Every structure is written in structure tokens, then in C-alpha cells.
Amino acid sequence: MSDDRGARAPRLESGDGGDEGMSPELARFFDAMRPYLAGEEPPRRFVERLGPSPSGERRLSVYPRLVALDWIGVIDKLYEATRYAIESHFDGLARIEGGKSSEPGKSAWRRLRAELGRAHPPTHWDINEYGRPFPEWIASRRDSGENLPGFVDQLADFEWLEFSTWSAPDVPAVAKGDRPIVEPTVSVRQYSFPVPAYARAVRRGEKPPAPAEKATTVVVYRRADTLLVHLFYPSVAGLLVLAHATGEVDADTLAKAGVTPDMRKSAENALYEHKILRRETTPGAPA
Amino acid sequence: MRTKLQGAGIGLRRKHFKEILETSRRIDWLEIIPENYMGYGGRPSRQIDECRERWAIAGHGVALSLAGPDPLDTDYLAKVEAISQRVEAPWFSEHLSFARVHGLQTHDLVPLPFNRDATRWVVSRIRRVQAALARPFLVENVSFYAVMPGSDMHELDFLAAVLEEADCGLMFDVNNLYVNSRNHGYDPFAALDRIPLHRARQIHLAGHRDEGDVIIDDHGSAVCEDVWALYRETIRRAGPIPTLIEWDANLPTLDRLLDEADRARAILEEAG
């Protein structure tokens, strides 16, 4: 991911990296373009800066509209369930800053989407990267007074995790000593709402009610055979066995936590069965 | 056995990943958008490996920002070259436009003013891209909705000057020529005289959306009859150039997409 998100890049100097120098007129054109394309300035201001377009202001306004639609489109796709949740469950969503104002869920989603664009405009060539800061950002909106219940930012976190697991680079599964081999895409999340089931229901076209609070621990991983993202809800012993396999806890901790050899065997078998643990390394991976 | 890059191809899109490997219908070749695969493992990565075994693949970028003010992203170009090598792409194409300005990635294709300053600027950038790639670089004529302030050339003269001075190939988008002719009021058939077709290595065909006062190149529908007629005339003049059906929004079934490719192939075969 680019680490200059939201930052203004330094102005390109003439002859930068071998390019033929940019004329002052062209530099002025690009300077005017950024706020215009980001929707920060209306086409009228753009014309004031650069002079009229033979095509007219109405045609000029097509560009900020198309740019905004591109940004909106990726958020709607990546966060389909979060969008559904905000649009469906929060009619009358109140903004605390405004005191008593309220707005319907669909309007709230549109507003939040636009605010994201202003807070974190895209800076990466991969359009999906525009979705990366959304879970943290939506959580910060709630913390700063937006009337969003807890499950929405957990839901957004899950949706990003699912996408990033599906698309994660292929990393070889390697053996670490005598520990079981762990599928490299494994992540574990602990949520206070059952957001994985909710997200999957929305994707199936269902219209689930807002979830009630329920502690949910889920393993999210991409199976090496199907390349699909799978979910696994582990037992406490299963979670500890997985943590041991990844090297986060040692065998003593496992024993002290009351995981008997039989429990460990049973938990390992379940993890093998679901292909979270693998019996073989990736072909060609270091031993 | 792997196909050659000739005839009528389609863009590889996620929705068709499974179906494309199972269809018995003819597919001559594929085009990928490298950005959809660069840095991605899992299904996208496996998909291009499975597809490259069967079909020739060309790469068509959308995020290079060829004409933009920000420094060319050499890491991005290295990734494009790596994936091009992996699929043995005969060329890489990008748009005569910019998509990044002072750190803001627009994810839309924005035209330059059509003038000599801009010509010099983009030609110098094309040369650097050519130097970074181990394969021919094609530049695509873009659709545009407003002539930018500062323009004093016709878009077609601008295109011809850029291609000539940079000595690069043309990715000729027939739909873009048609969209521009409607939006800016000229005869697209007469305009073909001004397109350097001798530089064209690949053609794009796509659908567009009529919003009344402007035609938007949205790749969201079938190729319209007017564009098919313009395409037929292009092929009559230039010969059978590999042609791709670009369909990105409102993506149809694979069969529907292949119907469009079949139609393009029939026109190519008429030209011998």
C-alpha cells in the first residue's frame, strides 16, 4: 500500500527523472485540475483559473462526476453488507453534532461515502486500495459522534478482511520446527457481533435484521485447493492449538490452559479437516 | 495449445473466471488489465496462469497516468513488465490521458489540452515507458467530454503528432472515435482519414451510454450498429487487426460477450 495516502505529492520539477520539462502553462493546468477533479472546486472556478473550454462548463462538470462515481463504485462493491446495514437499519440516523437532526439511512450512506473521499482520497494505482482505510475511518466517525452502532465498523473490518484474504499474495506455507504447518492466509478476529454471518447473508441476497450482540471468534482463510475464502469458528482449544501452530503460544501454555493431549489432537484434526493446518508445505518452499 | 493473438478477443473479468475455463465456444485471445492482478495471489493469480496456457494475452493498463504531472511510477512499470512477461504479452497499451494529479489517483481517464506543449510532454513520457518495457507500447485514443482550456489543436492532430513523434503503436478504440464524433460534432468516417491506422496493432470495441447532451464511454452495453459500421470501414481500410470487445459495467453472461466477439470475427474474416 502506498504510504503517501492523502498527502499532496511534491510538485514535479522540470526535467524530473528524464521527462522533457513541463511548460508553465501545462503546470498551471495540472494545478487547477486537482481540486476540480476532486470536486473541491466547481467547474466555474476551474474556468476562472484557466479560461473557458470550447465545450462549456456543463461538459467540464462531467469529469468530477465520473471521478466521484468511480470512487463510489469501489466502496459499494467492497462494502456491500456495510452499505446494506447503514441503509436498512438506520433510518432516522441522528448526527450528534447537529443535536436533533436526523437523516434516512440511504442519505447517511451517501454522505459517509463522500466524507471518506474527502478524508482519504485515492492515492494508489489499485482502486481497491481506496477501500483499505474505510473500516478504521468509519470507527473513528462513530467515536467522534456519528450515531453508528458498534457492529458497523466490525462489519466493515470483516468485509475488508474477506477481500484482502481472497486477493492476498501467494506466500509459501512453511514448516516451523515440529509445529503443524499453517495456511499462510489465516487471520483470527474476535468480534462482539456475529458480523461474518450477517455479511454472508447480505451477499446471498438475504435481508438480515440487525444482529444482536454476541461474542464471535472466527478464523478467516483462503483454502489452497479452492482459493475461496472460508470461515471457521474455533473452540477455545482450537484457538489455542492454532496459536501454538503459529508460534504465538508454546506447548507449556497450552498445557497450563487445560488443553489435554486428547483435546489437542481433536482440535488439530478439526483444523486439518478444514485445511487451516496443512500436512505439506507449498511445493518448493524452504523446509 | 495456446492461441495466437489474432482474431477477436475478450477482456478477462472476474465474473467469468470459472465459466471461461469451461466454455466450449471459441475465444481467440484475451486482454487483461494488469492492475487487477499485480500483487494479487489466489484465484486472480491462478486464473491468469490457467488462461495463459490456452490463450494469447495482451495487457491493457488503466492507472499509469501516462500524460500526468506526477513522476512515472517505476515500481508500477516494473510490475506491469513482470506480469507481461508472465503471460507473454506481445505488447502493453495505455491511454493518451492522465489518471493521477499531484498525488490524487482519479481512477478516471482525463484528457490533456491539445497543444504543442502537451504533445512534447507526453512524448517524453512515452519514451520513458518504452524504455522501461521489453515489448511494444501502444497508446489508445481516449474518449473525452470537454476540450480542455489551452487547446489549439484538433484531438486527431494531437493523437497523430504524439504517435509520430514518440514512434509508438496505436491501440485504436473505434467506440472512442465514435463517442468523440458525437460529443464534438464531426463525421467519424471522414475522421478515419486522420487516424494513423498504419500504427494500429489492436482495436477496441465497446458500448456507450447516451445521456442526451453527452455520450459517455461506459463499456456497459453491446456495441451499437453505428460503431459496427465504423469498425467494418476501419477493417476494410486497415486489414484484419486483432480486435477486443471491452465490456466492464453491467457485465453480461460470457455467452453474450462471445456473441459480440463472434460478430467482430466475422468482419475480420471478410477482410481476409
Side-chain angles (χ1 to χ4, degrees), chain A residues 2 4 7-13 15-27 29-31 33-34 36-38 46-47 50-56 58-60 62-63 65-67 69-71 77 121-130 163 166-170 222 224-227, chain B residues 14 17 34-36 38-47 62-64 67-73 75-76 79 86 98 100-113 115 117-118 120-121 124-125 127-128 143-151 182-184 209 211 213-216 248:
Chain A
S2 169
D4 65 344
R8 187 183 169 92
R11 169 75 172 277
L12 183 64
E13 300 293 339
D16 174 85
D19 284 335
E20 185 167 315
M22 185 191 297
S23 71
E25 290 75 18
L26 195 54
F29 168 78
F30 285 125
D31 285 348
M33 265 289 169
R34 193 192 190 283
Y36 154 69
L37 291 173
F46 179 74
V47 169
L50 296 177
S53 160
S55 313
R58 192 171 161 146
R59 283 289 188 82
L60 278 175
V62 168
Y63 283 103
R65 174 164 66 90
L66 293 181
V67 168
L69 285 172
D70 288 332
W71 299 1
K77 279 183 192 164
T123 59
H124 198 281
W125 50 259
D126 181 352
I127 194 166
N128 291 312
E129 285 293 327
Y130 177 47
F163 171 74
W166 179 80
S167 59
D170 294 321
R222 185 175 75 208
D225 52 352
T226 65
L227 302 178
Chain B
R14 195 180 301 172
F17 272 3
E35 290 88 341
N36 290 342
M38 285 155 44
Y40 284 28
R43 172 43 62 190
S45 177
R46 176 90 56 90
Q47 187 77 22
V62 295
L64 171 61
D70 295 26
L72 283 168
D73 185 337
D75 179 58
Y76 166 93
K79 287 185 167 76
R86 186 169 156 195
F98 63 96
R100 181 178 180 85
V101 56
H102 299 325
L104 179 78
Q105 194 81 32
T106 64
H107 295 294
D108 213 88
L109 304 169
V110 188
L112 289 169
N115 60 35
D117 281 351
R120 279 191 290 271
W121 175 250
S124 73
R125 305 258 295 182
R127 287 185 181 138
R128 290 185 59 204
S143 49
F144 68 102
Y145 310 109
V147 175
M148 291 297 159
S151 297
R182 290 276 306 275
N183 283 334
H184 304 288
R209 182 176 75 245
E211 293 190 349
D213 60 344
V214 67
I215 310 287
I216 301 291
D248 296 297

Side-chain angles (χ1 to χ4, degrees), chain A residues 79-121:
Chain A
Y79 296 102
E80 181 184 353
T82 308
R83 175 187 181 177
Y84 169 79
I86 290 177
E87 288 190 345
S88 306
H89 304 318
F90 304 122
D91 277 357
L93 184 77
R95 298 193 70 195
I96 290 174
E97 301 103 312
K100 295 174 183 172
S101 68
S102 67
E103 62 183 332
K106 286 190 177 178
S107 167
W109 175 249
R110 281 197 298 272
R111 176 178 54 76
L112 288 166
R113 227 172 29 188
E115 286 177 12
L116 174 73
R118 288 192 286 276
H120 296 281

Side-chain angles (χ1 to χ4, degrees), chain B residues 172-175 177-178 188-189 192 197 203-206 223-241 243 245 259-272:
Chain B
F172 180 38
D173 191 313
V174 177
N175 180 60
L177 176 65
Y178 177 78
F189 287 88
L192 280 178
L197 288 176
I203 284 177
H204 273 167
L205 293 172
V223 179
C224 76
E225 290 304 319
D226 286 349
V227 171
W228 281 117
L230 191 57
Y231 171 63
R232 187 184 293 275
E233 176 60 15
T234 301
I235 296 302
R236 190 189 69 76
R237 294 184 186 202
I241 297 170
T243 300
I245 307 296
D259 289 345
E260 295 281 284
D262 286 349
R263 187 168 175 182
R265 186 182 306 108
I267 293 170
L268 289 168
E269 286 173 354
E270 283 171 22

